[in-house]
Amino acid sequence: MAHALGALASVSPSVGPNESLRKTGLKVQNNLSFDNKLWIPLSSVNLKSSHSARKCQCKVVSMSVQQTIRSKVPVQPLELENAKEPPLNLHKPKEPYTATIVSVERLVGPNAPGETCHVVIDHGGNVPYWEGQSYGVIPPGENPKKPGSPHNVRLYSIASTRYGDSFDGKTASLCVRRAVYYDPETGKEDPSKKGVCSNFLCDSKPGDKIKITGPSGKIMLLPEDDPNATHIMIATGTGVAPFRGYLRRMFMEAVPTYKFGGLAWLFLGVANSDSLLYDDEFNNYLKDYPDNFRYDKALSREQKNKSGGKMYVQDKIEEYSDEIFKLLDGGAHIYFCGLKGMMPGIQDTLKRVAEQRGESWDAKLSQLKKNKQWHVEVY
Protein backbone atom coordinates (compact mmCIF):
# COMPACT_ATOMS: atom_id res chain seq x y z
CA MET A 1 0.00 0.00 0.00
CA ALA A 2 2.84 2.39 0.82
CA HIS A 3 4.22 1.79 -2.67
CA ALA A 4 0.86 2.69 -4.27
CA LEU A 5 0.57 5.89 -2.29
CA GLY A 6 4.15 6.77 -3.15
CA ALA A 7 3.27 6.35 -6.81
CA LEU A 8 0.30 8.62 -6.36
CA ALA A 9 2.50 11.30 -4.87
CA SER A 10 5.30 11.13 -7.39
CA VAL A 11 3.56 11.11 -10.75
CA SER A 12 1.20 13.49 -12.45
CA PRO A 13 -1.79 11.35 -13.36
CA SER A 14 -4.06 11.87 -16.32
CA VAL A 15 -7.59 12.11 -15.06
CA GLY A 16 -10.92 11.98 -16.81
CA PRO A 17 -12.66 15.02 -18.26
CA ASN A 18 -14.09 17.55 -15.90
CA GLU A 19 -17.65 18.37 -14.94
CA SER A 20 -18.11 20.73 -17.87
CA LEU A 21 -17.54 17.81 -20.23
CA ARG A 22 -20.31 15.69 -18.75
CA LYS A 23 -22.80 17.55 -20.90
CA THR A 24 -21.06 16.32 -24.02
CA GLY A 25 -21.87 12.69 -23.23
CA LEU A 26 -18.31 11.73 -22.34
CA LYS A 27 -17.92 9.27 -19.49
CA VAL A 28 -16.16 10.60 -16.43
CA GLN A 29 -14.15 8.15 -14.34
CA ASN A 30 -13.06 8.65 -10.77
CA ASN A 31 -10.25 6.09 -10.93
CA LEU A 32 -6.75 6.98 -12.02
CA SER A 33 -4.77 5.02 -14.58
CA PHE A 34 -0.98 4.71 -14.68
CA ASP A 35 0.64 2.61 -17.40
CA ASN A 36 -2.67 0.80 -17.95
CA LYS A 37 -2.90 -0.15 -14.26
CA LEU A 38 -5.95 0.99 -12.35
CA TRP A 39 -5.52 2.77 -9.02
CA ILE A 40 -8.37 3.40 -6.66
CA PRO A 41 -8.87 7.03 -5.52
CA LEU A 42 -7.03 8.01 -2.37
CA SER A 43 -10.32 9.17 -0.84
CA SER A 44 -11.64 5.59 -0.86
CA VAL A 45 -8.71 4.17 1.16
CA ASN A 46 -9.29 3.68 4.88
CA LEU A 47 -6.14 5.26 6.30
CA LYS A 48 -7.18 4.67 9.94
CA SER A 49 -7.27 0.87 9.85
CA SER A 50 -3.83 0.20 11.30
CA HIS A 51 -0.70 1.66 12.82
CA SER A 52 1.20 1.19 9.56
CA ALA A 53 -1.55 2.97 7.64
CA ARG A 54 -1.30 5.91 10.02
CA LYS A 55 2.43 6.08 9.33
CA CYS A 56 1.64 5.96 5.64
CA GLN A 57 -0.86 8.80 6.00
CA CYS A 58 1.76 11.05 7.57
CA LYS A 59 4.14 10.18 4.77
CA VAL A 60 1.68 11.24 2.08
CA VAL A 61 0.84 14.53 3.76
CA SER A 62 4.50 15.50 3.83
CA MET A 63 5.02 14.80 0.13
CA SER A 64 4.62 17.36 -2.58
CA VAL A 65 1.80 16.04 -4.75
CA GLN A 66 1.94 17.37 -8.29
CA GLN A 67 -1.18 19.05 -9.63
CA THR A 68 -3.22 16.79 -11.87
CA ILE A 69 -4.18 18.16 -15.25
CA ARG A 70 -7.28 17.01 -17.08
CA SER A 71 -6.52 14.99 -20.20
CA LYS A 72 -7.12 16.83 -23.44
CA VAL A 73 -9.99 15.40 -25.46
CA PRO A 74 -9.31 13.64 -28.78
CA VAL A 75 -11.09 15.27 -31.74
CA GLN A 76 -12.16 14.12 -35.17
CA PRO A 77 -12.15 14.28 -38.14
CA LEU A 78 -8.63 15.72 -38.27
CA GLU A 79 -9.21 16.55 -41.95
CA LEU A 80 -10.79 19.75 -40.59
CA GLU A 81 -7.19 20.93 -40.02
CA ASN A 82 -6.21 20.50 -43.68
CA ALA A 83 -7.87 23.52 -45.32
CA LYS A 84 -5.55 26.46 -45.93
CA GLU A 85 -8.42 28.99 -46.06
CA PRO A 86 -11.50 29.23 -43.83
CA PRO A 87 -14.84 28.04 -45.22
CA LEU A 88 -16.97 31.02 -46.28
CA ASN A 89 -20.66 31.34 -47.21
CA LEU A 90 -21.17 27.68 -48.06
CA HIS A 91 -24.91 28.25 -47.61
CA LYS A 92 -26.50 31.50 -48.79
CA PRO A 93 -29.73 33.07 -47.46
CA LYS A 94 -31.69 31.86 -50.49
CA GLU A 95 -30.45 28.29 -50.00
CA PRO A 96 -29.94 27.84 -46.24
CA TYR A 97 -28.97 24.53 -44.68
CA THR A 98 -31.65 22.84 -42.56
CA ALA A 99 -29.95 21.73 -39.34
CA THR A 100 -31.38 20.18 -36.18
CA ILE A 101 -31.44 21.46 -32.60
CA VAL A 102 -29.57 19.09 -30.27
CA SER A 103 -30.08 20.92 -26.97
CA VAL A 104 -30.93 24.27 -25.41
CA GLU A 105 -29.59 24.99 -21.94
CA ARG A 106 -29.99 28.06 -19.74
CA LEU A 107 -26.51 29.34 -18.88
CA VAL A 108 -27.25 31.95 -16.21
CA GLY A 109 -28.40 31.81 -12.61
CA PRO A 110 -31.70 33.05 -11.15
CA ASN A 111 -30.37 36.51 -10.30
CA ALA A 112 -29.10 37.30 -13.78
CA PRO A 113 -30.96 40.09 -15.55
CA GLY A 114 -32.40 38.37 -18.62
CA GLU A 115 -31.83 34.89 -19.95
CA THR A 116 -28.89 33.53 -21.94
CA CYS A 117 -28.95 30.08 -23.52
CA HIS A 118 -26.39 27.67 -24.95
CA VAL A 119 -27.84 26.22 -28.15
CA VAL A 120 -26.23 23.18 -29.77
CA ILE A 121 -27.01 22.61 -33.45
CA ASP A 122 -26.36 19.45 -35.48
CA HIS A 123 -25.16 20.39 -38.98
CA GLY A 124 -24.02 16.87 -39.82
CA GLY A 125 -20.60 18.12 -40.87
CA ASN A 126 -22.20 19.97 -43.79
CA VAL A 127 -21.56 23.52 -42.55
CA PRO A 128 -17.94 23.44 -41.34
CA TYR A 129 -16.46 26.58 -39.80
CA TRP A 130 -13.38 27.87 -38.01
CA GLU A 131 -13.15 29.38 -34.54
CA GLY A 132 -14.20 33.04 -34.60
CA GLN A 133 -16.70 32.70 -37.45
CA SER A 134 -20.47 33.25 -37.36
CA TYR A 135 -23.57 31.43 -38.52
CA GLY A 136 -26.63 33.16 -39.91
CA VAL A 137 -30.00 31.98 -38.58
CA ILE A 138 -33.29 32.47 -40.43
CA PRO A 139 -36.16 32.17 -37.92
CA PRO A 140 -39.40 30.56 -39.13
CA GLY A 141 -42.28 32.72 -40.28
CA GLU A 142 -42.49 35.62 -42.67
CA ASN A 143 -40.92 39.02 -42.62
CA PRO A 144 -43.57 41.52 -41.41
CA LYS A 145 -42.00 44.23 -43.57
CA LYS A 146 -42.02 41.98 -46.66
CA PRO A 147 -45.13 39.77 -46.55
CA GLY A 148 -44.53 36.44 -48.24
CA SER A 149 -40.74 36.66 -47.74
CA PRO A 150 -38.71 34.90 -45.03
CA HIS A 151 -37.21 36.79 -42.12
CA ASN A 152 -33.84 38.45 -42.57
CA VAL A 153 -30.74 36.54 -41.48
CA ARG A 154 -29.52 37.13 -37.92
CA LEU A 155 -25.81 36.58 -37.29
CA TYR A 156 -24.52 34.74 -34.23
CA SER A 157 -20.89 34.22 -33.26
CA ILE A 158 -20.15 30.52 -32.95
CA ALA A 159 -19.28 29.50 -29.37
CA SER A 160 -17.57 26.19 -30.13
CA THR A 161 -14.48 24.98 -31.94
CA ARG A 162 -14.73 23.48 -35.43
CA TYR A 163 -15.18 20.09 -33.73
CA GLY A 164 -18.23 21.20 -31.74
CA ASP A 165 -19.14 20.33 -28.17
CA SER A 166 -19.24 16.61 -29.00
CA PHE A 167 -15.74 16.76 -30.58
CA ASP A 168 -16.84 15.04 -33.81
CA GLY A 169 -17.08 17.97 -36.24
CA LYS A 170 -20.86 17.64 -36.57
CA THR A 171 -22.25 20.32 -34.25
CA ALA A 172 -21.93 24.04 -33.60
CA SER A 173 -22.94 25.97 -30.49
CA LEU A 174 -24.43 29.44 -30.17
CA CYS A 175 -24.59 31.65 -27.09
CA VAL A 176 -27.93 33.49 -27.30
CA ARG A 177 -29.42 36.15 -25.04
CA ARG A 178 -33.19 36.22 -25.19
CA ALA A 179 -34.24 39.69 -26.41
CA VAL A 180 -37.32 41.00 -24.63
CA TYR A 181 -38.83 44.47 -24.61
CA TYR A 182 -40.28 46.20 -21.56
CA ASP A 183 -42.65 49.14 -21.98
CA PRO A 184 -40.95 52.12 -20.29
CA GLU A 185 -44.27 53.46 -19.00
CA THR A 186 -45.90 50.32 -17.62
CA GLY A 187 -42.70 48.39 -16.94
CA LYS A 188 -44.39 45.31 -18.39
CA GLU A 189 -43.02 43.05 -21.07
CA ASP A 190 -44.42 43.64 -24.56
CA PRO A 191 -44.35 40.29 -26.42
CA SER A 192 -45.12 41.98 -29.74
CA LYS A 193 -41.67 43.61 -29.66
CA LYS A 194 -39.59 40.65 -28.53
CA GLY A 195 -36.60 39.50 -30.56
CA VAL A 196 -37.94 37.02 -33.10
CA CYS A 197 -34.78 34.97 -33.62
CA SER A 198 -33.40 34.91 -30.08
CA ASN A 199 -36.76 33.79 -28.69
CA PHE A 200 -37.07 31.13 -31.40
CA LEU A 201 -33.65 29.77 -30.46
CA CYS A 202 -34.13 29.90 -26.67
CA ASP A 203 -37.57 28.25 -27.00
CA SER A 204 -36.36 25.50 -29.35
CA LYS A 205 -36.57 21.84 -28.38
CA PRO A 206 -34.29 18.94 -29.35
CA GLY A 207 -35.23 17.74 -32.82
CA ASP A 208 -36.55 21.11 -34.01
CA LYS A 209 -35.33 22.21 -37.44
CA ILE A 210 -33.35 25.40 -37.94
CA LYS A 211 -32.24 27.15 -41.13
CA ILE A 212 -28.64 28.31 -41.06
CA THR A 213 -26.38 30.20 -43.47
CA GLY A 214 -22.66 30.79 -43.62
CA PRO A 215 -20.21 30.46 -42.09
CA SER A 216 -19.09 34.07 -42.39
CA GLY A 217 -16.39 36.34 -41.06
CA LYS A 218 -12.60 36.51 -41.12
CA ILE A 219 -11.78 39.35 -38.74
CA MET A 220 -12.07 37.18 -35.59
CA LEU A 221 -10.21 34.13 -36.88
CA LEU A 222 -7.62 32.89 -34.39
CA PRO A 223 -4.12 33.48 -35.85
CA GLU A 224 -2.25 30.21 -35.41
CA ASP A 225 1.03 30.92 -37.21
CA ASP A 226 2.69 31.43 -33.81
CA PRO A 227 1.42 28.93 -31.20
CA ASN A 228 3.26 30.91 -28.50
CA ALA A 229 1.54 34.23 -29.22
CA THR A 230 -0.37 36.31 -26.67
CA HIS A 231 -4.14 36.74 -27.17
CA ILE A 232 -5.99 39.38 -25.13
CA MET A 233 -9.77 38.81 -25.35
CA ILE A 234 -12.27 41.42 -24.20
CA ALA A 235 -15.94 40.44 -24.08
CA THR A 236 -19.22 41.76 -22.79
CA GLY A 237 -22.00 39.23 -22.29
CA THR A 238 -22.59 36.86 -25.20
CA GLY A 239 -19.56 38.41 -26.89
CA VAL A 240 -17.63 35.71 -25.03
CA ALA A 241 -18.82 33.20 -27.68
CA PRO A 242 -15.80 33.21 -30.04
CA PHE A 243 -13.41 33.25 -27.08
CA ARG A 244 -14.96 30.06 -25.69
CA GLY A 245 -14.09 28.48 -29.03
CA TYR A 246 -10.50 29.76 -28.92
CA LEU A 247 -9.98 28.54 -25.36
CA ARG A 248 -11.40 25.08 -25.95
CA ARG A 249 -9.03 24.74 -28.91
CA MET A 250 -6.09 25.94 -26.82
CA PHE A 251 -6.74 24.06 -23.59
CA MET A 252 -9.40 21.35 -23.95
CA GLU A 253 -8.84 19.66 -27.30
CA ALA A 254 -5.95 17.42 -28.36
CA VAL A 255 -5.26 18.93 -31.79
CA PRO A 256 -2.02 17.39 -33.12
CA THR A 257 -1.23 20.36 -35.36
CA TYR A 258 -1.91 23.10 -32.77
CA LYS A 259 -0.17 22.98 -29.41
CA PHE A 260 -0.72 26.30 -27.67
CA GLY A 261 2.14 27.53 -25.51
CA GLY A 262 1.45 31.26 -25.35
CA LEU A 263 -0.76 33.42 -23.11
CA ALA A 264 -4.54 33.75 -23.40
CA TRP A 265 -6.00 36.54 -21.24
CA LEU A 266 -9.78 36.87 -21.02
CA PHE A 267 -11.61 39.95 -19.71
CA LEU A 268 -15.35 39.29 -19.31
CA GLY A 269 -17.85 41.99 -18.41
CA VAL A 270 -21.33 40.99 -17.15
CA ALA A 271 -23.86 42.35 -14.66
CA ASN A 272 -23.28 39.98 -11.73
CA SER A 273 -21.99 36.56 -10.70
CA ASP A 274 -25.18 34.84 -11.87
CA SER A 275 -24.60 36.32 -15.34
CA LEU A 276 -21.18 34.72 -15.83
CA LEU A 277 -21.02 32.51 -18.92
CA TYR A 278 -18.94 29.31 -19.15
CA ASP A 279 -17.31 30.25 -15.85
CA ASP A 280 -16.61 26.61 -14.85
CA GLU A 281 -14.74 25.96 -18.09
CA PHE A 282 -12.63 29.07 -17.70
CA ASN A 283 -11.82 28.32 -14.06
CA ASN A 284 -10.70 24.82 -15.02
CA TYR A 285 -8.21 26.30 -17.50
CA LEU A 286 -6.91 28.55 -14.72
CA LYS A 287 -6.26 25.51 -12.53
CA ASP A 288 -4.71 23.42 -15.30
CA TYR A 289 -2.75 26.06 -17.21
CA PRO A 290 -1.92 28.88 -14.75
CA ASP A 291 1.06 29.99 -16.85
CA ASN A 292 -0.94 30.20 -20.07
CA PHE A 293 -4.33 31.58 -19.03
CA ARG A 294 -5.54 34.63 -17.14
CA TYR A 295 -9.16 35.45 -16.41
CA ASP A 296 -10.47 38.79 -15.16
CA LYS A 297 -14.14 39.56 -14.55
CA ALA A 298 -15.89 42.92 -14.41
CA LEU A 299 -19.22 42.55 -12.55
CA SER A 300 -20.93 45.91 -12.94
CA ARG A 301 -23.57 45.37 -10.24
CA GLU A 302 -21.25 43.78 -7.69
CA GLN A 303 -17.86 45.48 -8.04
CA LYS A 304 -16.73 49.10 -7.83
CA ASN A 305 -14.02 50.72 -9.94
CA LYS A 306 -11.29 52.88 -8.40
CA SER A 307 -13.59 55.94 -8.56
CA GLY A 308 -16.37 54.18 -6.68
CA GLY A 309 -18.55 53.71 -9.75
CA LYS A 310 -19.72 50.51 -11.40
CA MET A 311 -16.97 48.18 -12.61
CA TYR A 312 -17.11 47.85 -16.39
CA VAL A 313 -14.72 45.95 -18.60
CA GLN A 314 -12.85 49.14 -19.55
CA ASP A 315 -12.10 49.70 -15.85
CA LYS A 316 -10.45 46.27 -15.69
CA ILE A 317 -8.45 47.13 -18.83
CA GLU A 318 -7.27 50.35 -17.17
CA GLU A 319 -6.27 48.39 -14.07
CA TYR A 320 -3.86 46.30 -16.16
CA SER A 321 -3.12 48.93 -18.81
CA ASP A 322 0.68 49.00 -18.39
CA GLU A 323 0.87 45.24 -18.86
CA ILE A 324 -1.57 45.28 -21.80
CA PHE A 325 0.34 48.01 -23.63
CA LYS A 326 3.64 46.16 -23.13
CA LEU A 327 2.10 42.97 -24.51
CA LEU A 328 0.70 44.87 -27.53
CA ASP A 329 4.14 46.38 -28.14
CA GLY A 330 5.45 42.81 -28.13
CA GLY A 331 3.02 41.70 -30.84
CA ALA A 332 0.00 40.50 -28.83
CA HIS A 333 -3.36 40.19 -30.56
CA ILE A 334 -6.31 41.98 -28.96
CA TYR A 335 -9.95 41.07 -29.64
CA PHE A 336 -13.21 42.79 -28.75
CA CYS A 337 -16.62 41.13 -29.02
CA GLY A 338 -20.00 42.18 -27.67
CA LEU A 339 -22.49 45.02 -27.90
CA LYS A 340 -21.19 47.93 -29.93
CA GLY A 341 -21.84 50.22 -26.97
CA MET A 342 -18.77 48.71 -25.30
CA MET A 343 -16.28 50.25 -27.72
CA PRO A 344 -16.48 54.03 -27.01
CA GLY A 345 -15.69 53.53 -23.31
CA ILE A 346 -12.86 51.13 -24.11
CA GLN A 347 -11.41 53.43 -26.78
CA ASP A 348 -11.57 56.41 -24.39
CA THR A 349 -9.73 54.39 -21.72
CA LEU A 350 -7.03 53.22 -24.13
CA LYS A 351 -6.57 56.76 -25.46
CA ARG A 352 -6.22 58.18 -21.95
CA VAL A 353 -3.69 55.51 -20.97
CA ALA A 354 -1.70 56.07 -24.17
CA GLU A 355 -1.52 59.81 -23.49
CA GLN A 356 -0.37 59.15 -19.92
CA ARG A 357 2.43 57.07 -21.42
CA GLY A 358 3.35 59.88 -23.80
CA GLU A 359 2.04 58.01 -26.86
CA SER A 360 -0.43 58.93 -29.57
CA TRP A 361 -3.36 56.51 -29.43
CA ASP A 362 -4.35 57.21 -33.03
CA ALA A 363 -0.85 56.31 -34.24
CA LYS A 364 -0.74 53.23 -32.03
CA LEU A 365 -4.18 52.04 -33.20
CA SER A 366 -3.18 52.55 -36.81
CA GLN A 367 -0.08 50.43 -36.25
CA LEU A 368 -2.05 47.68 -34.48
CA LYS A 369 -4.48 47.50 -37.40
CA LYS A 370 -1.63 47.49 -39.92
CA ASN A 371 0.02 44.61 -38.02
CA LYS A 372 -3.33 42.73 -37.91
CA GLN A 373 -3.21 42.70 -34.10
CA TRP A 374 -6.58 44.49 -33.69
CA HIS A 375 -9.78 42.41 -34.06
CA VAL A 376 -13.26 43.86 -33.43
CA GLU A 377 -16.69 42.27 -33.83
CA VAL A 378 -19.52 44.20 -32.23
CA TYR A 379 -23.26 44.20 -32.87
Side-chain angles (χ1 to χ4, degrees), residues 219-237:
I219 189 70
M220 294 292 284
L221 292 174
L222 180 65
E224 296 189 357
D225 49 332
D226 177 8
N228 298 315
T230 295
H231 304 273
I232 302 166
M233 300 160 278
I234 296 158
T236 56

Side-chain angles (χ1 to χ4, degrees), residues 58-74:
C58 297
K59 199 173 178 182
V60 172
V61 169
S62 67
M63 288 181 179
S64 173
V65 180
Q66 283 181 274
Q67 181 189 358
T68 63
I69 297 178
R70 276 159 274 267
S71 297
K72 286 196 172 184
V73 183

